[in-house]
């Protein structure tokens, strides 16, 4: 009797206040106990590492949000015998649009022409000579949040007014590409498993459904699927999604790509089946997912699709009863593939964490000590590079928060417990909306915190 291969110990990676992509039910049939490990933010790194070791986890499965990406780079190095799925390298594009640009440039994947500026004077000089319109985006984080952080500017004055108001850092500027539509493609094992069009409303340019765009599943071109597959293979991603623009010039360009994306439960089940096959040395069957299945499933009401689980397909065998073969579900060009586990880091943070490492040449400081202040160099009358690199302890952050009307001691305790002093500073400088994971901290209170933060920062608070 042949012995069954030993299965690795699986742990599901969760983070407080972050929506969970996977559940144990996505791994239906896995015979062993599946552990869960929760990262609690703040100064939780050492405890988290100890828990993973204590539970003897071999594989940690789950996406990591942008704000925790660099911390988990350090955690992964402290757990060299633990396989992260997706790998931290596969999740490189999750952190920022800047990283998406670096990824596409390295692998020569088509994308809109993009310029990224950490030195405000260089951005100003470029924008004063550029042709318009341009697109300016917030770089941090993988999502456009419904398009609300994507802006079209038609001239230099509009561009500078936007950067002064929004204080996006770095300045992330793309050529405006008139689009017929864009296409979201989701892949598992480098195979497209779902694809749909997103079309802008009449006279508009944003395709997001939250902005009035429409979507449909019909007749997604194979050229789009091939481009998404090429990106997935370049990222060595077990699961992946691409947003691809179809320009009015007929060219395809990647707008976004990441392992973090919204997906119906049955697609997460497919990913779970794939990972079970991947980790079991063939003990579990590789899922069969017909190409263009989305054209039929897309006809089902989305309210029902959100409840459907464990959809399965048998392998397709072409029928030749009449001497003809139907090729509509031909799998030859898009098979489900293994992803090769790589221990070497492709995108080490020492090189690619530019948001933390960048040092303006006119200022002498260690990279790790520099905390960029988004938009600070656009302040009128301020000398370029004149800001120090402020860091704050818990007491200072508590004092700042206490000065905001409507923010009480209990809420301050929850903010500090969740994020810690460094996390609060990073959030306020890059993505304030993430603070809303704290109970009862809604948009109006967040606006007050951000407004107060922007007032006190130029005042030269004591740093250490």
């Amino acid at each position: 009797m042949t012995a069954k291969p030993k299965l690795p110990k699986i742990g599901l990676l969760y983070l407080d206040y972050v929506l969970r992509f996977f559940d144990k039910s996505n791994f239906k049939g896995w015979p062993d106990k599946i552990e869960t490990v929760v990262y609690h933010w703040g100064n939780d790194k050492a405890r988290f590492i100890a828990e993973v070791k204590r539970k003897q986890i071999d594989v940690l499965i789950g996406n990591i949000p942008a704000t925790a990406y660099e911390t988990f780079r350090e955690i992964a190095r402290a757990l060299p015998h633990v396989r992260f799925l997706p790998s931290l390298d596969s999740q490189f594009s999750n952190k920022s649009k800047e990283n998406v640009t670096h990824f596409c440039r390295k692998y020569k994947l088509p994308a809109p022409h993009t310029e990224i500026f950490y030195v405000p004077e260089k951005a100003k000089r470029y924008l004063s000579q550029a042709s318009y319109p341009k697109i300016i985006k917030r770089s941090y984080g993988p999502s456009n949040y419904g398009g609300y952080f994507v802006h079209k500017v038609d001239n230099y004055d509009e561009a500078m007014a936007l950067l002064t108001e929004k204080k996006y850092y770095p300045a992330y500027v793309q050529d405006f590409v008139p689009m017929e539509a864009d296409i979201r493609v989701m892949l598992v094992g480098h195979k497209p498993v779902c694809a749909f069009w997103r079309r802008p409303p009449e006279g508009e340019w944003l395709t997001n459904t939250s902005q009035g765009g429409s979507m449909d599943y019909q007749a997604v071109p194979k050229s789009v699927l091939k481009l998404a597959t090429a990106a997935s293979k370049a990222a060595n991603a077990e699961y992946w999604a691409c947003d691809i623009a179809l320009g009015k010039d007929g060219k395809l360009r990647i707008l976004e790509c990441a392992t973090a994306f919204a997906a119906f439960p049955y697609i997460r089940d497919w990913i779970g089946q794939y990972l079970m096959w991947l980790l079991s040395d063939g003990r579990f069957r590789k899922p069969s997912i017909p190409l263009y299945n989305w054209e039929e499933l897309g006809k089902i009401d989305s309210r029902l699709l959100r409840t459907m689980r464990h959809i399965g397909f048998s392998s397709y065998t072409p029928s030749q009863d009449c001497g003809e073969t139907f090729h509509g579900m031909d799998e030859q060009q898009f098979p489900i593939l293994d992803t090769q586990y790589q221990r070497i880091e492709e995108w080490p943070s020492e090189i690619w964490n530019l948001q933390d490492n960048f040092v303006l040449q006119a200022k002498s400081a260690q990279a790790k000590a520099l905390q960029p202040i988004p938009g600070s160099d656009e302040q009128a009358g301020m000398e370029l590079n004149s800001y120090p690199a402020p860091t704050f302890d818990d007491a200072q952050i508590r004092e700042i928060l206490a000065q905001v009307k409507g923010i009480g001691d209990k809420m301050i305790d929850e903010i500090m417990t969740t994020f810690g002093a460094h996390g609060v500073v990073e959030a306020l400088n890059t993505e304030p909306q993430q603070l809303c994971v704290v109970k009862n901290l809604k948009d109006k209170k967040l606006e007050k915190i951000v407004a107060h933060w922007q007032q006190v920062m130029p005042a030269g608070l004591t740093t250490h």
Side-chain angles (χ1 to χ4, degrees), residues 125-293:
R125 192 179 310 122
Y126 171 77
L127 290 167
S128 69
Q129 300 172 355
S131 58
Y132 288 85
K134 294 289 185 194
I135 297 295
I136 296 179
K137 301 179 181 180
R138 183 177 68 177
S139 173
Y140 201 69
S143 171
N144 285 337
Y145 303 96
Y148 295 109
F149 298 100
V150 180
H151 313 272
K152 178 172 171 280
V153 292
D154 292 317
N155 53 58
Y156 171 76
D157 290 339
E158 286 186 13
M160 295 310 300
L162 176 71
L163 289 174
T164 300
E165 176 191 355
K166 298 296 184 180
K167 296 179 169 51
Y168 291 159
Y169 186 83
Y172 185 90
V173 185
Q174 284 186 331
D175 285 354
F176 174 70
V177 178
M179 289 193 301
E180 294 287 353
D182 72 25
I183 306 102
R184 165 71 59 87
V185 183
M186 304 177 192
L187 305 100
V188 177
H190 309 320
K191 176 176 182 167
V193 299
C194 184
F196 53 87
W197 294 89
R198 297 187 298 189
R199 307 178 193 275
E202 187 72 27
E204 302 294 334
W205 59 276
L206 278 172
T207 61
N208 305 79
T209 54
S210 60
Q211 302 271 16
S214 61
M215 60 176 290
D216 65 81
Y217 293 87
Q218 301 305 307
V220 173
K222 268 197 172 181
S223 57
V224 172
L225 304 183
K226 288 180 179 179
L227 177 55
T229 300
S232 176
K233 289 179 178 179
N236 196 36
E238 288 78 17
Y239 54 93
W240 186 250
C242 265
D243 287 349
I244 298 173
L246 173 59
K248 290 184 180 295
D249 58 5
K251 296 181 179 179
L252 300 177
R253 298 171 178 88
I254 292 177
L255 299 177
E256 302 278 347
C257 50
T259 67
F261 53 91
F264 286 126
Y266 68 85
I267 292 178
R268 284 176 264 164
D269 290 332
W270 289 346
I271 297 172
Q273 292 174 38
Y274 171 75
L275 295 180
M276 287 166 61
W277 168 75
L278 190 71
L279 297 171
S280 68
D281 196 23
R283 180 169 168 179
F284 290 90
R285 181 177 68 89
K286 180 167 62 174
S288 175
I289 309 173
L291 202 62
Y292 297 110
N293 73 85

Side-chain angles (χ1 to χ4, degrees), residues 2-230:
T2 305
K4 293 181 179 179
K6 184 178 182 299
L7 297 174
K9 185 76 167 290
I10 289 178
L12 297 183
L13 169 59
Y14 296 143
L15 295 92
D16 283 340
Y17 314 109
V18 177
L19 291 175
R20 299 180 175 187
F21 190 75
F22 289 117
D23 182 79
K24 293 178 183 178
S25 64
N26 297 122
F27 300 86
K28 186 178 180 180
W30 190 262
D32 301 335
K33 180 182 179 182
I34 296 178
E35 300 283 358
T36 59
V37 192
V38 182
Y39 181 72
H40 299 304
W41 301 91
N43 298 316
D44 195 43
K45 184 169 64 174
R47 185 211 60 82
F48 181 89
I49 292 170
E51 183 177 357
V52 173
K53 290 180 177 178
R54 177 172 55 81
K55 291 183 174 179
Q56 299 182 320
I57 290 171
D58 300 307
V59 179
L60 266 178
I61 300 175
N63 290 315
I64 297 162
T67 47
Y69 178 78
E70 296 303 337
T71 298
F72 271 85
R73 273 288 190 187
E74 297 172 2
I75 289 173
R77 289 179 177 180
L79 297 168
H81 301 296
V82 175
R83 180 176 181 178
F84 283 74
L85 286 176
S87 70
L88 273 297
D89 279 331
S90 295
Q91 297 193 56
F92 177 73
S93 294
N94 292 14
K95 182 184 174 183
S96 66
K97 294 172 181 61
E98 174 184 359
N99 285 9
V100 173
T101 298
H102 293 313
F103 169 75
C104 290
R105 284 176 179 171
K106 176 175 180 177
Y107 289 102
K108 295 180 173 57
L109 298 168
H113 177 77
T114 304
E115 298 289 345
I116 305 166
F117 300 98
Y118 277 87
V119 179
E121 284 300 320
K122 289 187 177 181
K124 187 175 181 179
R125 192 179 310 122
Y126 171 77
L127 290 167
S128 69
Q129 300 172 355
S131 58
Y132 288 85
K134 294 289 185 194
I135 297 295
I136 296 179
K137 301 179 181 180
R138 183 177 68 177
S139 173
Y140 201 69
S143 171
N144 285 337
Y145 303 96
Y148 295 109
F149 298 100
V150 180
H151 313 272
K152 178 172 171 280
V153 292
D154 292 317
N155 53 58
Y156 171 76
D157 290 339
E158 286 186 13
M160 295 310 300
L162 176 71
L163 289 174
T164 300
E165 176 191 355
K166 298 296 184 180
K167 296 179 169 51
Y168 291 159
Y169 186 83
Y172 185 90
V173 185
Q174 284 186 331
D175 285 354
F176 174 70
V177 178
M179 289 193 301
E180 294 287 353
D182 72 25
I183 306 102
R184 165 71 59 87
V185 183
M186 304 177 192
L187 305 100
V188 177
H190 309 320
K191 176 176 182 167
V193 299
C194 184
F196 53 87
W197 294 89
R198 297 187 298 189
R199 307 178 193 275
E202 187 72 27
E204 302 294 334
W205 59 276
L206 278 172
T207 61
N208 305 79
T209 54
S210 60
Q211 302 271 16
S214 61
M215 60 176 290
D216 65 81
Y217 293 87
Q218 301 305 307
V220 173
K222 268 197 172 181
S223 57
V224 172
L225 304 183
K226 288 180 179 179
L227 177 55
T229 300

